[in-house]
Amino acid sequence: MKKRFTLVLLLISIFTVAQEKDKNTSEAYKKRVLESTEIDFLTSYYTQDGDNAAVTGGRGTEELTDFTPTVVVSIPLNDDDVLTIDASVSAYTSASSSNVDPFDGDPNVDASPFIASSGASRNDVLTTVSVNYSHSSDDRNKIWSANAAVANEYDYFSIGFGGSYTMLFNEKNTEFSVKANVFLDTWNAIYPTELRDDNNFIPFDDESRNSYSLGLGFSQILSKKLQGSLSVDVIRQDGLLSTPFQRVQFADVVDRVVQQFTLGDDVERLPDTRFKIAAGGRLHYYLNEIVAIRTFYRYYTDDWGINSHTANIEVPIKITDKFTLYPSYRFYTQTAADYFAPFNQHLSTQQLYTSDYDLSDFNANQYGFGISYTDIFAKFHIWKFGLKNIDFRFRQYERNTGLKASLFSGGVSFIMD
């Protein structure tokens, strides 16, 4: 969810005229947290390809495209309160999900895990709407917020709610925050076509999934040029954590092959609980008025056996007073989940299994570049809206398993006069 808050942490003191005879007093006036309504128009285009689709048991095309337009509106309700509404529509085409039923496409083309079926499941739309309300104290040292969200897809529905509390002290050089969220999800389970009428197949009896998260954050201005922060996130999930249409083929069961497609022996089966912990830190160093260095590291672990490390560096370069470049690099590595094995390597005697390469052992590199235009005075206008910012980013992602992905994203921000 792409939320933006503009927090102005400054009090303006203005002395007033005498209220009583022979007595002078002063009254402090607050500056609004958000001066006027802001509207962000965001969009992203994502494309990927690879040969390890989980829908076909860990072997097959992973081709996917996704286009997501988003509108974010931030409305100042008064001096202290801001309401933010975030709405997005994600329209995607997925070769792998189209192979939930690989035989519903062109009858003249043999079904294959490396060829997308042209059936109806190839396309889908995910709609998401979220609302956030935030309140700042008079001295701007305390901020609390509440949020709610709803998302809907053809086989999935989710509602979420939560809140956060932030406290600034030490003359606003130190910040502490706590946030909590709950997501209540429901699957409308869709199974691979060959298993739907199989008397030996056991469908899931619980199609709900609940997620609970708690996050703690601490940041400190260490010097005029250096700022650091630490964060810890704890997540608990329970319910249907398997994806119902992702196949598994067993090595000790004779393969059933129709045309060029190996049918599934079962769908992935994963534990109905998962506990995750992530701890990370950031260091931002302002080298000079032109160059800054932003670094990030995170360690993640869960009770499925995955341990991961993420390291990221971004170097904003201010080429003019309005234009900034953003080159970046990100490295990621993880161990495999206890329940992962590649295509056709699980045994039917196992109780838990998956061939989803997102749960495999892999390394990944991501290279990024961005450029932004910012005019804090919003001199350029379209009707009653002043142009505040234009941003464009590109990221190229590559896994050592062969998956490659590209992400183009951009946004335009306006301020209402």
Side-chain angles (χ1 to χ4, degrees):
M1 308 261 172
K2 306 173 179 75
K3 300 180 176 71
R4 294 187 179 180
F5 299 97
T6 304
L7 299 179
V8 181
L9 303 173
L10 180 66
L11 295 177
I12 302 176
S13 297
I14 302 176
F15 291 97
T16 63
V17 296
Q19 298 295 313
E20 301 177 14
K21 185 178 180 179
D22 299 327
K23 179 186 289 187
N24 292 326
T25 62
S26 64
E27 183 177 350
Y29 286 86
K30 300 176 294 185
K31 188 169 183 177
R32 295 167 70 91
V33 173
L34 187 65
E35 289 292 340
S36 57
T37 298
E38 295 189 3
I39 302 177
D40 297 334
F41 297 97
L42 311 173
T43 188
S44 67
Y45 176 76
Y46 174 84
T47 179
Q48 73 170 41
D49 202 0
D51 296 321
N52 300 114
V55 172
T56 47
R59 185 187 69 171
T61 177
E62 295 178 88
E63 183 180 357
L64 180 148
T65 61
D66 180 275
F67 175 66
T68 305
T70 302
V71 178
V72 182
V73 182
S74 300
I75 306 169
L77 303 178
N78 50 49
D79 288 350
D80 305 322
D81 302 330
V82 177
L83 179 68
T84 302
I85 303 171
D86 184 327
S88 67
V89 177
S90 176
Y92 69 84
T93 299
S94 172
S96 60
S97 64
S98 71
N99 281 329
V100 171
D101 185 352
F103 309 106
D104 65 349
D106 188 342
N108 298 315
V109 178
D110 283 353
S112 166
F114 295 99
I115 300 176
S117 170
S118 57
S121 59
R122 179 177 175 84
N123 304 306
D124 194 29
V125 174
L126 169 65
T127 303
T128 305
V129 178
S130 65
V131 178
N132 181 282
Y133 172 83
S134 68
H135 172 80
S136 298
S137 62
D138 288 342
D139 60 6
R140 301 298 186 253
N141 285 330
K142 300 178 182 64
I143 307 160
W144 66 263
S145 70
N147 63 79
V150 60
N152 185 61
E153 200 173 0
Y154 79 105
D155 63 339
Y156 196 74
F157 179 78
S158 174
I159 59 172
F161 54 90
S164 67
Y165 179 77
T166 300
M167 181 172 61
L168 296 95
F169 48 96
N170 188 24
E171 297 183 346
K172 295 181 172 56
N173 290 317
T174 306
E175 178 180 313
F176 174 78
S177 63
V178 57
K179 61 181 179 180
N181 286 284
V182 175
F183 292 95
L184 307 176
D185 309 334
T186 302
W187 288 94
N188 178 20
I190 297 176
Y191 300 103
T193 183
E194 67 271 23
L195 298 176
R196 297 171 191 172
D197 297 322
D198 188 334
N199 293 328
N200 294 319
F201 174 69
I202 302 175
F204 295 107
D205 56 4
D206 182 4
E207 297 186 353
S208 65
R209 175 173 67 188
N210 301 327
S211 301
Y212 313 92
S213 67
L214 175 67
L216 301 175
F218 174 82
S219 68
Q220 176 68 47
I221 296 176
L222 302 170
S223 70
K224 292 182 178 180
K225 293 187 174 183
L226 184 64
Q227 180 183 19
S229 65
L230 298 171
S231 63
V232 177
D233 293 283
V234 179
I235 300 172
R236 162 80 180 192
Q237 293 180 297
D238 59 59
L240 179 52
L241 305 184
S242 306
T243 303
F245 51 76
Q246 294 188 168
R247 292 176 175 86
V248 169
Q249 289 85 1
F250 297 132
D252 57 343
V253 174
V254 177
D255 288 344
R256 298 177 295 156
V257 181
V258 177
Q259 298 174 13
Q260 301 178 48
F261 194 92
T262 303
L263 304 181
D265 296 316
D266 198 3
V267 296
E268 76 171 7
R269 307 276 178 175
L270 293 169
D272 57 8
T273 62
R274 190 176 187 181
F275 185 73
K276 310 176 185 181
I277 299 178
R282 297 179 184 271
L283 277 178
H284 292 179
Y285 182 72
Y286 298 89
L287 191 62
N288 51 47
E289 293 182 354
I290 298 176
V291 179
I293 301 173
R294 300 173 179 173
T295 62
F296 170 73
Y297 169 78
R298 183 184 66 187
Y299 172 73
Y300 166 90
T301 185
D302 65 28
D303 57 359
W304 285 10
I306 294 180
N307 298 289
S308 73
H309 302 270
T310 305
N312 187 85
I313 183 169
E314 183 180 65
V315 184
I317 303 171
K318 196 173 184 64
I319 55 177
T320 72
D321 60 340
K322 294 182 179 180
F323 287 93
T324 305
L325 302 179
Y326 294 91
S328 65
Y329 170 73
R330 177 180 180 268
F331 174 77
Y332 178 82
T333 182
Q334 76 171 38
T335 60
D338 298 335
Y339 319 106
F340 172 81
F343 175 80
N344 221 2
Q345 293 190 24
H346 285 290
L347 300 177
S348 60
T349 54
Q350 296 174 250
Q351 293 184 331
L352 300 172
Y353 32 76
T354 180
S355 293
D356 185 348
Y357 271 71
D358 287 346
L359 301 177
S360 71
D361 179 2
F362 68 86
N363 301 326
N365 295 280
Q366 178 178 282
Y367 310 90
F369 177 78
I371 184 169
S372 71
Y373 166 87
T374 303
D375 182 0
I376 60 174
F377 299 108
K379 294 180 179 179
F380 179 79
H381 280 71
I382 299 178
W383 194 45
K384 296 183 179 181
F385 297 91
L387 177 62
K388 177 184 178 181
N389 177 266
I390 301 175
D391 184 83
F392 174 79
R393 303 291 178 106
F394 170 76
R395 297 177 181 87
Q396 179 66 29
Y397 175 84
E398 298 177 357
R399 283 188 192 176
N400 63 346
T401 60
L403 177 68
K404 295 183 179 181
S406 300
L407 174 64
F408 302 85
S409 61
V412 182
S413 300
F414 293 94
I415 301 175
M416 181 179 289
D417 290 343

